[in-house]
Amino acid sequence: MGSELEKWVLMVTARTPTNIAVIKYWGKRDETLILPINDSISVTLDPSHLCTTTTVSVSPTFDHDRMWLNGKEISLQGGRFQSCLREIRARAQDVEDEKKGIKIKKEDWQKLHLHIASYNNFPTAAGLASSAAGLACLVFSLAKLMNLKEDNSQLSAIARQGSGSACRSLYGGFVKWDMGKEDNGSDSLAVQLADEKHWDELVIIIAVVSARQKETSSTSGMRDTVVTSALIEHRAKEVVPKRIVQMEDAIQKRDFPSFARLACTDSNQFHAVCLDTYPPIFYMNDTSHRIISCVEKWNRAEETPQVAYTFDAGPNAVMIARDRKTAALLLQRLLYNFPPQSDTDLDSYIIGDKSILQDAGIKNMKDVEALAPPPEIKDNISTQRSKGDVSYFICTRPGGGPVVLSDESLALLDPLTGLPK
Ligand code: DP6
């Protein structure tokens, strides 16, 4: 490390996806190390629509660790950030950048300070697993900056200590978080079951449901569940282990009916243990329930599942359609049941991969208004069509894991000052 004259800034920028669990993690056996009471499985979402970008930098001129999220400075003092930073610094290696004439010895990392800037390409307030992508990206980008030798699975055990679900964002495609057996958490890590190309017909539509109140955080919700629910132990010990085996098999065989049945029933059971928590936790609302009914009616009418749904700790629905054709039919149904408010334009109501909208034959609001009721609800006169219950829909698909962005123009920090651009 150099003299006071040295003013260099070394940085790395990376992009990391979010993930949605299809077999849920809910409940910890160790709160500090973040060790779960059961395995879980997730699908990684395409980072072009939902991801976190993070730039991490180091310079002898920085006098303390600092972080900015979406342009606003936030504190790094929390225990979870501190765990991640400590674990990464402990594994840091020598780094040399010949072009810039920078040499950092591994022991120097304990004294050098970091600047970190992170940005989500989706609204943080929408409740779309922003912490999972954020913590995974922090760990991944720091690991690259400090030249760690660990693979993504070993890095996932560090990200896990930032937020449990973050460990599954270290891989693309289909990912399992193995709960592990060790008390020190060394075997509680993510493994990739299959990459995103393995089952690329799947299309994912997320309904961002308008929520009125702030929800119970996952961390405190699951703590209350473990302490008060009589059902959670049965779920963790008896139900989930069998579902994990079945889900791995369904993914491997691309067996959509089994995949959908497992994903839907596991989401429903997670919300059932929330209701069994005392005081009860309600994450889904009326709109969420109506989305479930809409999908269930259609699946039943078709006699085999067309779409799976799953809900995390909030009212948003994540729907997984078996292929593009089905996704177009799903979008028609969703737009029929949940039309946009009169002052909303279609372009901001359906975001992400808009080509699904074309497949559905919908070009403008007139086409939405002209939608006929889907055949499975023809006789049901009580169907509500209230506007404004869904804020917007995101069309996406399974996607890839973390990547380093080598294009320096994508960095969130200024290369000379190390401050947000
Ligand atoms: C419902 O990972 O947010 O999304 O480990 O306390 O940070 P902490 O909780 P978090 O919980 C996620 C819960 C879930 C299910 C899942 O993602 O598996």
Side-chain angles (χ1 to χ4, degrees), residues 96-139:
E96 188 168 356
D97 185 321
E98 279 182 7
K99 260 202 285 175
K100 293 188 176 157
I102 303 168
K103 237 182 184 165
I104 305 172
K105 292 228 139 302
K106 61 173 158 192
E107 50 284 3
D108 294 342
W109 288 108
Q110 299 295 336
K111 294 170 275 168
L112 284 164
H113 295 289
L114 304 162
H115 280 186
I116 302 162
S118 207
Y119 167 80
N120 297 326
N121 71 347
F122 56 93
T124 314
L128 294 166
S130 54
S131 69
L135 266 309
C137 206
L138 176 79
V139 169

Side-chain angles (χ1 to χ4, degrees), residues 19 21 23-26 28 34 40 80 131 160 162-166 168 177 218-219 222 270 311-313:
N19 71 79
I23 300 292
K24 304 288 184 195
Y25 146 54
W26 196 252
K28 297 182 182 70
I34 311 196
S40 54
R80 290 173 168 207
S131 69
R160 188 201 73 228
S163 178
S165 54
R168 297 184 310 238
W177 174 9
S218 305
T219 307
M222 67 176 84
F270 154 51
F311 296 73
D312 276 349

Side-chain angles (χ1 to χ4, degrees), residues 17 50 123 167 193 233 272 384 413:
L50 294 156
C167 75
L193 298 175
E233 191 173 325
Q384 269 175 273
L413 295 169

Side-chain angles (χ1 to χ4, degrees), residues 2 8 20 39-40 127 135 139 142 171 230-231 236 276 307 332 339 377 394 397 403:
W8 53 262
I20 177 73
D39 296 345
S40 54
L135 266 309
V139 169
L142 285 175
Y171 288 107
L231 300 181
D276 188 51
V307 175
Q332 290 175 347
I377 62 160
I394 307 170
R397 63 179 84 83
V403 288

